[in-house]
Amino acid sequence: PPRSTLFPYTTLFRSRTGGGFNVVPLRNMIPADIARVFADGAEKYKEEKLLAYEIGYKNRLWDGRATLSAAAYYNDWTNQGLNVGYTYMRISPPLPQNFTRILSAGKSRVMGIELDATVRASDYLDLRIGYTYANAEILDFIDETDRDLHDTDGIIGNEATQGDPTGQLKGRKIPQTPEHQFILTGDFHVPLNSELSGFFRSDLAYESSRYAQVHNLAYTGDSYLLNLKLGVQSDHWQVALFVDNALQDETPMVITRSFTFDRLLVLPDAVLSAVGPNTRLTQFRDFRVAAPRKREYGLTATYRF
């Protein structure tokens, strides 16, 4: 665009994803668990809706040596689909199992800002700065597992008085969503002679902690990823030394809550008490962690034909 042009803009976006039915292994499930599945509504999930608003600004500054873009957004999210495990007892062989269901997570709200700026600081140095803030919060969602976590008295139908006894997750953060993200890139390049140039590039990316699940009890911690590259290049070839993850950051990339299948756990169940036994079997929980790559360094050579 022309250097003097200012670009304010607004956006309104509507999206719908149809609901459906979860695959439930009814043929090999005891009658009490079948009753619990339908009592909980675990056999189906609702239509997911998203209404998104955005307002932004883009411009070129300082005679074209800098660019700036900024945006603020607000997303109204209804019936967000979450993948969760659901435990049941098999008829034959009589062992506890689980299936993965899509669970409609009530109402959520995501709002935040995005900033991005590039600057030609000198004839040899280019800088880029980016920042994102996201406030992703659950407004209305009843979760059975969270209710069990706060039910410490063990009496069926009489939840604990500490915390929220209903499993209401209002105010909790949406899992796997960092609140803050920041990037800083510096690209230094200088001519060595009429054919060769040298360069040094650094990329620093920061990401704030992310929760593993809607319960907001387990989280990854903050991550700092720094990559460095130093080299020489011409029009056709490049040789460079690199160091990835120079700070040896060990923050998990993804952390999810799962079952430990070799350890059984007996839970009181108010629903089952009406159709038979008043307890049900499940498994203890554990976590699956996707570890980041360790610090790597080496030499690359590239030739462009």
Side-chain angles (χ1 to χ4, degrees), residues 205-252:
Y206 164 78
E207 187 176 277
S208 63
S209 184
R210 292 173 284 116
Y211 286 110
Q213 283 192 315
V214 293
H215 319 298
N216 290 185
L217 296 176
Y219 50 90
T220 61
D222 298 346
S223 67
Y224 300 84
L225 184 63
L226 176 63
N227 297 334
L228 305 172
K229 196 171 186 179
L230 173 67
V232 178
Q233 62 184 5
S234 69
D235 292 337
H236 298 288
W237 57 267
Q238 180 187 97
V239 177
L241 296 169
F242 71 90
V243 180
D244 289 341
N245 194 8
L247 301 178
Q248 193 76 332
D249 187 84
E250 297 181 350
T251 307

Side-chain angles (χ1 to χ4, degrees), residues 118-289:
T118 60
V119 179
R120 173 61 62 89
S122 71
D123 292 339
Y124 307 116
L125 179 62
D126 294 319
L127 298 174
R128 181 191 175 193
I129 300 175
Y131 171 73
T132 298
Y133 167 74
N135 184 357
E137 187 174 290
I138 297 172
L139 299 181
D140 181 26
F141 177 37
I142 304 296
D143 181 69
E144 177 183 344
T145 301
D146 195 78
R147 183 196 65 196
D148 291 339
L149 289 171
H150 291 97
D151 182 13
T152 57
D153 58 9
I155 301 176
I156 298 174
N158 181 17
E159 305 296 345
T161 57
Q162 296 295 325
D164 191 333
T166 65
Q168 173 60 256
L169 298 181
K170 181 179 180 180
R172 308 285 179 87
K173 299 298 183 181
I174 296 177
Q176 309 299 340
T177 305
E179 187 173 9
H180 303 279
Q181 292 177 287
F182 174 80
I183 61 169
L184 176 61
T185 298
D187 191 353
F188 179 78
H189 43 274
V190 59
L192 301 177
N193 55 38
S194 59
E195 297 182 354
L196 299 178
S197 63
F199 65 91
F200 174 73
R201 180 183 176 93
S202 65
D203 297 280
L204 175 64
Y206 164 78
E207 187 176 277
S208 63
S209 184
R210 292 173 284 116
Y211 286 110
Q213 283 192 315
V214 293
H215 319 298
N216 290 185
L217 296 176
Y219 50 90
T220 61
D222 298 346
S223 67
Y224 300 84
L225 184 63
L226 176 63
N227 297 334
L228 305 172
K229 196 171 186 179
L230 173 67
V232 178
Q233 62 184 5
S234 69
D235 292 337
H236 298 288
W237 57 267
Q238 180 187 97
V239 177
L241 296 169
F242 71 90
V243 180
D244 289 341
N245 194 8
L247 301 178
Q248 193 76 332
D249 187 84
E250 297 181 350
T251 307
M253 299 175 62
V254 177
I255 176 171
T256 58
R257 193 164 176 253
S258 62
F259 291 100
T260 301
F261 293 100
D262 59 347
R263 299 182 63 197
L264 299 182
L265 178 64
V266 179
L267 291 177
D269 195 299
V271 175
L272 291 185
S273 63
V275 295
N278 60 3
T279 61
R280 59 184 170 92
L281 289 177
T282 184
Q283 289 92 10
F284 280 84
R285 300 301 181 99
D286 207 339
F287 292 94
R288 295 182 180 180
V289 176

Side-chain angles (χ1 to χ4, degrees), residues 15-27:
S15 175
R16 288 191 175 188
T17 302
F21 294 92
N22 290 306
V23 178
V24 182
L26 297 176
R27 291 184 178 180

